[in-house]
């Protein structure tokens, strides 16, 4: 079993829909990252969380440390949101452990 | 702010040649840089961690003589794939951070194809 599990693996949505991507982990962490990887390959860091909730534009990330779970929400989704969303956790000062990613396609 | 660049963005080379990939933090000083490789439809795999002025720490299974990493300054790290073979073809991504507990910023990646 992977230490970081994401669901769903693939997700399709109509433009305007509210989207949720989930991340569960099985180890103690110091921080959790949400990353976005576009088809060209470049990776953008969306959020780094250690507790609570963060919001940036249409993106919201939450984390529940007790339940070892985080969610990434996209409100009013748009085709340009189509990408692979990756959850990664850090244990102490150690390296990042990556989830396998969620492939999102938003259709007009 | 917090921009990381990589050069080249793609490279095609013949088997047996060496290829150097640069990773630069453009607007901050990166005490730590990470090198990853990614195969199609798979997640990132950490290859090594480099700290400025010291030797890189390689992950298990990564050949340090094949993947030479140099972190000579706080804004530049290089990865040299020596005597490249077709199985080294991959997407190589670097990230940079200002400390182990701080956010990592990722470069745009370099696609290497070895013929």
């Amino acid at each position: 079993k992977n230490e970081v599990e994401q669901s769903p693996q693939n997700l399709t949505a109509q433009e305007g829909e509210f989207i949720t991507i989930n991340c569960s982990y099985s180890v103690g962490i110091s921080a959790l990252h949400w990353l976005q990887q576009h088809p060209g390959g470049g990776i953008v860091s969306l959020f780094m969380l250690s507790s609570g909730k963060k919001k940036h534009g249409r993106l919201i990330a939450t984390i529940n440390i007790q339940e070892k779970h985080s969610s990434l929400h996209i409100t009013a989704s748009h085709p340009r949101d189509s990408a692979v969303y990756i959850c990664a956790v850090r244990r102490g000062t150690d390296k990042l452990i990556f989830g396998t990613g969620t492939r999102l396609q938003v259709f007009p | 702010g917090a921009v990381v660049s990589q050069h080249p963005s793609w490279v095609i080379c013949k088997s047996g040649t060496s290829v150097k990939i640069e990773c630069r933090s453009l607007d901050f000083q990166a005490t730590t840089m990470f090198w990853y490789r990614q195969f199609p439809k798979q997640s990132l795999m950490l290859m090594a961690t480099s700290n400025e002025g010291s030797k890189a720490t390689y992950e298990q299974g990564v050949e340090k003589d094949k993947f030479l990493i140099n972190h000579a300054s706080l804004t530049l790290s290089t990865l040299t794939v020596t005597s490249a073979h077709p199985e080294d073809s991959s997407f190589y991504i670097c990230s940079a951070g200002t400390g182990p507990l701080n956010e990592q910023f990722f470069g745009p990646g370099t696609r290497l194809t070895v013929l």
Side-chain angles (χ1 to χ4, degrees), chain B residues 40-85:
Chain B
K41 302 207 173 176
Q42 293 189 23
S43 194
L44 283 76
M45 183 190 81
L46 180 66
M47 299 174 67
T49 303
S50 75
N51 294 293
E52 185 265 338
S54 61
K55 287 185 180 179
T57 302
Y58 289 81
E59 294 299 299
Q60 195 170 11
V62 177
E63 299 175 58
K64 57 183 69 175
D65 293 331
K66 180 160 187 65
F67 299 100
L68 300 178
I69 291 171
N70 183 280
H71 192 164
S73 77
L74 286 172
T75 59
L76 174 64
S77 176
T78 60
L79 167 67
T80 301
V81 183
T82 61
S83 187
H85 287 279

Side-chain angles (χ1 to χ4, degrees), chain A:
Chain A
K1 190 178 191 299
N2 293 334
E3 290 173 296
V4 182
E5 298 271 359
Q6 284 185 239
S7 65
Q9 282 189 303
N10 295 285
L11 183 57
T12 58
Q14 285 295 124
E15 183 173 356
E17 285 185 6
F18 179 84
I19 288 161
T20 296
I21 300 170
N22 296 299
C23 175
S24 296
Y25 52 92
S26 57
V27 296
I29 67 169
S30 58
L32 181 143
H33 297 249
W34 280 103
L35 311 170
Q36 178 192 55
Q37 185 171 31
H38 278 283
I43 291 179
V44 174
S45 178
L46 299 175
F47 296 104
M48 184 178 77
L49 292 163
S50 53
S51 66
K53 175 180 173 177
K54 285 190 176 180
K55 184 176 189 293
H56 186 255
R58 295 180 295 107
L59 302 177
I60 303 166
T62 64
I63 187 168
N64 185 317
I65 297 293
Q66 286 74 30
E67 293 185 5
K68 293 186 166 59
H69 181 269
S70 175
S71 293
L72 176 68
H73 306 285
I74 304 175
T75 60
S77 60
H78 190 276
R80 64 174 175 268
D81 297 326
S82 299
V84 175
Y85 291 84
I86 303 169
C87 169
V89 302
R90 177 184 286 132
R91 302 177 62 184
T93 59
D94 283 349
K95 62 192 180 187
L96 292 179
I97 305 170
F98 293 87
T100 51
T102 295
R103 189 172 299 273
L104 170 66
Q105 282 189 296
V106 182
F107 293 99

Side-chain angles (χ1 to χ4, degrees), chain B residues 9 13 20 22 35 37 47 49 55 66 83-84 94 109:
Chain B
S9 54
C13 69
K20 181 187 282 189
E22 291 185 349
W35 286 97
R37 68 186 295 183
M47 299 174 67
T49 303
K55 287 185 180 179
K66 180 160 187 65
S83 187
C94 74

